[in-house]
Amino acid sequence: MSSIERLEVGQRMSRIVKHNGTIYLCGQVAADANAGITEQTQTMLDKVESLLVQAGSDKEHILSATVYIRDMKDFAAMNAVWDAWVPEGHAPARACVEARMARPELLVEVSVVASEK
């Protein structure tokens, strides 16, 4: 039986879970929830990248991403940051849905699954 490794474990969730060479990140949000969609998206993706490195991966190994956006009016601005961040030729499977966020000031959140390097 393969083992499950949990990193940065809290009572409610682990920030990183690794199993059979697959890495699961908990949902990531912006560093500053009072910023606009561009900055929220960038700092959210910076956090994803940092967690992936900590887990032994990188953004070229992202398998799938689910993006939750508070209002689809911000879809184009969020995608501009996303498109610049994803390495060419390494776009993951992705879904993007409009969703009510845990806090009203949050504009975007992402959940990522990646493989180890």
Side-chain angles (χ1 to χ4, degrees):
M1 179 172 231
S2 58
S3 64
I4 298 171
E5 181 182 0
R6 300 173 199 279
L7 304 170
E8 297 193 35
V9 179
Q11 181 176 352
R12 182 168 295 144
M13 69 185 134
S14 298
R15 291 191 71 194
I16 301 167
V17 176
K18 296 170 71 171
H19 180 257
N20 283 341
T22 303
I23 298 163
Y24 304 86
L25 301 183
C26 69
Q28 296 300 304
V29 296
D32 178 3
N34 295 310
I37 188 65
T38 298
E39 184 178 336
Q40 282 201 30
T41 303
Q42 185 61 60
T43 61
M44 171 190 76
L45 295 174
D46 291 344
K47 289 166 72 175
V48 166
E49 195 163 358
S50 177
L51 288 170
L52 288 172
V53 168
Q54 181 181 341
S57 189
D58 58 31
K59 60 188 177 179
E60 291 184 358
H61 287 80
I62 296 174
L63 303 171
S64 70
T66 303
V67 178
Y68 305 93
I69 191 164
R70 188 179 77 185
D71 191 323
M72 280 296 178
K73 72 176 177 53
D74 291 327
F75 185 68
M78 179 276 298
N79 274 331
V81 177
W82 174 271
D83 292 345
W85 181 77
V86 173
E88 188 173 336
H90 296 279
R94 192 187 96 165
C96 183
V97 296
E98 188 174 73
R100 188 175 322 189
M101 306 308 258
R103 298 190 328 255
E105 61 274 12
L106 291 171
L107 303 177
V108 64
E109 180 172 351
V110 67
S111 180
V112 169
V113 177
S115 67
E116 291 179 318
K117 284 188 190 180

